[in-house]
Amino acid sequence: MQGQNFIKTLLFVVFFAVGAAAMAISALHNDLVTYYQNRHYLKQAENLTLRLESLNSDYDALLVRLEEDPNLIKRLAPAAIGAEHTEPNTVHPRATSRDLAEAKKALAELSRAEPNEPVLPMWLQRCGQGRRRMSLFAVGAALVLLCFVCFAPRKAPDEKT
């Protein structure tokens, strides 16, 4: 008798949990979508923050180098602002359109290499479709009702009968 009660209780808990989860997912779909979108935006913001911190550290290192070597500005100014060089007998190569095209291609491959994870998981997208969402709620409610009907405790037989 104890084994039957244990199995009955276990089945009740499993079926009730599945039914309640189905109803909860169906009812809270919009909140789950908002949660996953916010989580995605948070990850993007963290990545952007890391990139900005890296740029700040590079900038700080450049400032330290500028303080140590005052002639660095004279060497960097023509490259930074595109000014013509005035030193005689010096060759200053310019980037060709072919070099620029290769650099653009390399940057495009680099941007494609970064994984773009979907904002919503596939199971949540499937559960959010109109008919599926309604049927998921109905099936979950039916499963919960079935649990209460089938696994209800039995009344003890009357002693009078």
Side-chain angles (χ1 to χ4, degrees):
M1 190 68 173
Q2 287 288 3
Q4 285 181 345
N5 285 340
F6 177 73
I7 292 172
K8 206 173 176 183
T9 304
L10 182 66
L11 288 175
F12 174 79
V13 168
V14 168
F15 288 149
F16 182 80
V18 170
M23 289 175 55
I25 288 172
S26 176
L28 298 175
H29 179 266
N30 294 336
D31 294 330
L32 287 172
V33 167
T34 304
Y35 168 76
Y36 278 103
Q37 286 176 342
N38 287 342
R39 196 170 95 177
H40 178 73
Y41 296 144
L42 179 63
K43 188 176 281 188
Q44 283 183 337
E46 287 173 351
N47 290 340
L48 181 61
T49 302
L50 290 176
R51 286 179 50 204
L52 289 175
E53 287 175 355
S54 171
L55 287 174
N56 280 341
S57 65
D58 291 346
Y59 183 70
D60 290 339
L62 181 62
L63 288 177
V64 168
R65 284 190 61 200
L66 284 174
E67 289 175 0
E68 292 173 357
D69 185 11
N71 292 329
L72 187 64
I73 294 176
K74 291 179 184 176
R75 293 192 309 261
L76 286 178
I81 60 175
E84 293 294 323
H85 298 282
T86 57
E87 297 95 18
N89 299 326
T90 306
V91 177
H92 301 287
R94 296 242 182 237
T96 63
S97 61
R98 181 178 176 197
D99 294 336
L100 293 175
E102 288 176 6
K104 184 178 179 182
K105 184 178 177 182
L107 288 174
E109 289 175 5
L110 181 65
S111 68
R112 273 188 248 126
E114 294 177 4
N116 293 328
E117 66 181 40
V119 177
L120 296 177
M122 286 303 295
W123 65 269
L124 190 59
Q125 290 177 0
R126 287 192 307 266
C127 291
Q129 296 170 351
R131 288 190 163 192
R132 286 187 180 176
R133 188 173 173 189
M134 296 299 275
S135 63
L136 185 65
F137 186 82
V139 168
L143 194 55
V144 168
L145 287 174
L146 184 75
C147 286
F148 283 119
V149 169
C150 292
F151 298 109
R154 299 216 168 126
K155 293 182 181 179
D158 291 336
E159 292 181 13
K160 292 181 182 178
T161 57

